[in-house]
Amino acid sequence: DTGVSQNPRHKITKRGQNVTFRCDPISEHNRLYWYRQTLGQGPEFLTYFQNEAQLEKSRLLSDRFSAERPKGSFSTLEIQRTEQGDSAMYLCASSPDFETQYFGPGTRLTVL
Amino acid sequence: AQRVTQPEKLLSVFKGAPVELKCNYSYSGSPELFWYVQYSRQRLQLLLRHISRESIKGFTADLNKGETSFHLKKPFAQEEDSAMYYCALSTSGANSKLTFGKGITLSVRP
């Protein structure tokens, strides 16, 4: 499968713990996006990268959230001190320049 | 700020019936509009974008700037069209951030 991949697919954690998700974009896609989707809602934009540069962050991305794309390839999204409100599906997408976004399968986070 | 509204959560039709999934947007500039689809246990995928003016799987959507709408239509629904459909807006082209509506579930009964 040469599409966008995300790991893990599911994560259950206790409140207060840190979690990290990984996204591997389609090869040579220089743009990478993170979205969050809660039950009954559409995906909501969190942040995006052009190569290794983080170009925009949503107000949804609190100080507990950090995203990196160190070599312009894969990206990680870390949530520190998780809260129950962080429970959601975290989606990653990638695109080449001026083209549409291709989504990964998502990582479902459950915070107990 | 931009917003996408999908006023209905569920549309249930019989096979062969026409389908119209509604989408309204608010944005003061010239947005680009998309429809994304998510079939059961599959990832979100692009169905169509307004600038391409294509018909994909028999679906079409016309951007109406006067009514700020981008409704998705299909004249004869098929069972395999059953899925979740999201309308989305971009303010700076296909590869900038997307603002999604809440989505609508289309159920096509045999």
Side-chain angles (χ1 to χ4, degrees):
Chain A
D1 184 1
T2 57
V4 178
S5 62
Q6 293 187 246
N7 287 288
R9 295 292 305 276
H10 303 274
K11 178 70 177 179
I12 300 174
T13 190
K14 292 182 179 179
R15 189 176 55 183
Q17 298 294 305
N18 298 345
V19 294
T20 300
F21 310 140
R22 176 177 170 128
C23 170
D24 286 90
I26 295 172
S27 179
E28 298 182 355
H29 279 194
N30 54 8
R31 291 214 173 192
L32 187 148
Y33 312 78
W34 286 99
Y35 294 85
R36 181 175 71 184
Q37 186 173 21
T38 53
L39 197 61
Q41 303 293 320
E44 296 173 291
F45 170 78
L46 292 178
T47 187
Y48 87 93
F49 294 83
Q50 169 94 20
N51 299 313
E52 64 273 13
Q54 189 173 17
L55 296 187
E56 186 172 351
K57 293 195 292 187
S58 162
R59 286 172 295 177
L60 292 175
L61 216 63
S62 75
D63 291 344
R64 296 184 297 106
F65 288 70
S66 62
E68 295 183 342
R69 195 182 182 197
K71 296 183 180 179
S73 56
F74 72 92
S75 175
T76 58
L77 177 68
E78 180 183 15
I79 309 175
Q80 296 183 327
R81 304 180 304 281
T82 53
E83 302 173 355
Q84 288 184 326
D86 297 331
S87 295
M89 177 74 85
Y90 290 83
L91 297 170
C92 176
S94 71
S95 72
D97 279 338
F98 309 114
E99 292 297 328
T100 55
Q101 297 174 34
Y102 296 82
F103 282 81
T107 294
R108 182 170 295 284
L109 173 66
T110 301
V111 182
L112 301 176
Chain B
Q2 60 271 21
R3 185 187 304 176
V4 175
T5 302
Q6 295 181 251
E8 300 156 330
K9 290 187 176 181
L10 171 67
L11 180 63
S12 183
V13 300
F14 285 106
K15 177 182 173 181
V19 167
E20 182 177 65
L21 306 181
K22 297 185 186 300
C23 173
N24 290 90
Y25 67 90
S26 63
Y27 178 60
S28 56
S30 294
E32 187 165 352
L33 275 297
F34 308 82
W35 277 99
Y36 277 80
V37 61
Q38 188 166 26
Y39 301 102
S40 179
R41 287 188 284 277
Q42 294 188 25
R43 62 187 66 190
L44 199 59
Q45 58 186 284
L46 179 68
L47 180 62
L48 55 79
R49 55 193 289 195
H50 87 269
I51 64 169
S52 62
R53 302 186 67 81
E54 293 176 303
S55 173
I56 306 294
K57 299 185 179 182
F59 284 98
T60 59
D62 291 318
L63 180 60
N64 185 323
K65 292 186 177 181
E67 296 183 358
T68 59
S69 68
F70 188 57
H71 303 327
L72 184 68
K73 300 178 183 179
K74 184 169 183 176
F76 307 104
Q78 303 299 313
E79 290 179 65
E80 56 265 30
D81 296 328
S82 295
M84 191 77 177
Y85 291 80
Y86 294 94
C87 182
L89 174 155
S90 166
T91 60
S92 306
N95 64 343
S96 70
K97 67 180 182 183
L98 294 169
T99 299
F100 286 87
K102 292 185 177 183
I104 180 170
T105 300
L106 173 63
S107 174
V108 182
R109 293 169 287 173

